[in-house]
Amino acid sequence: MSNSDTILDLAAQVGKALQDKGLILATAESCTGGGIAQAITEIAGSTGWFDCGFVAYSNASKTEMLDVSAALIAQMGSVSEEVAAAMASGALGASNAHIAISTTGIAGPTGAVPGKPVGTVCFGWANADTVHTERLVFSGDRRAVREQTVIHALQGLLRFIN
């Protein structure tokens, strides 16, 4: 199965899980540039379980749209589990969603900093009660990192919903 087929299959599974539980999703994406929202909205009927997606690429947009503290970004860096958590929580607060997912990372080929090589991605999955975060390092070129990020984000969302 190609990555695009895998992504669409996962998006359909996410949609079914959200629909079964009566939940609405919002996305807060940086390094994926809306790729998760695009996958979700490829699925017919997504209007019933998808509220909105934020593409907060710059640090200023993370602060303005998602209420991520500029001090947190300055302290931890925009690619951190703390910022991913704040992005997911901010998406909940700025939407009508019950559950949110966030991604922030370094897709490359540039942007690496000490301790955060190209391919570093932080994820956040949030609902009203909890936020789960994760940090992974993917290999490959920019496209490969972004595709792997969307796949992992959707897989994690399935686990978080269920």
Side-chain angles (χ1 to χ4, degrees), residues 5-39:
D5 289 340
T6 299
I7 289 168
L8 286 179
D9 182 58
L10 285 166
Q13 290 179 52
V14 164
K16 182 174 182 343
L18 289 166
Q19 194 166 25
D20 287 352
K21 295 196 183 277
L23 299 174
I24 306 292
L25 174 69
T27 60
E29 301 179 67
S30 185
C31 64
T32 46
I36 298 167
Q38 180 180 352

Side-chain angles (χ1 to χ4, degrees), residues 14-16 18-25 40-41 43-51 96 98:
V14 164
K16 182 174 182 343
L18 289 166
Q19 194 166 25
D20 287 352
K21 295 196 183 277
L23 299 174
I24 306 292
L25 174 69
I40 291 293
T41 57
I43 307 305
S46 56
T47 301
W49 40 269
F50 182 65
D51 183 48
N96 295 309
H98 307 106

Side-chain angles (χ1 to χ4, degrees), residues 71-149:
L72 179 68
I73 294 171
Q75 180 185 1
M76 305 307 299
S78 59
V79 179
S80 64
E81 289 183 67
E82 293 82 358
V83 168
M87 288 173 65
S89 295
L92 284 180
S95 72
N96 295 309
H98 307 106
I99 193 166
I101 183 168
S102 67
T103 58
T104 182
I106 307 165
T110 61
V113 296
K116 295 178 186 175
V118 167
T120 301
V121 180
C122 295
F123 299 85
W125 297 273
N127 61 27
D129 301 321
T130 188
V131 181
H132 177 75
T133 62
E134 208 171 338
R135 178 185 189 265
L136 295 176
V137 180
F138 297 110
S139 60
D141 63 11
R142 183 176 181 82
R143 180 177 178 174
V145 168
R146 288 165 49 114
E147 284 182 344
Q148 291 170 82
T149 300

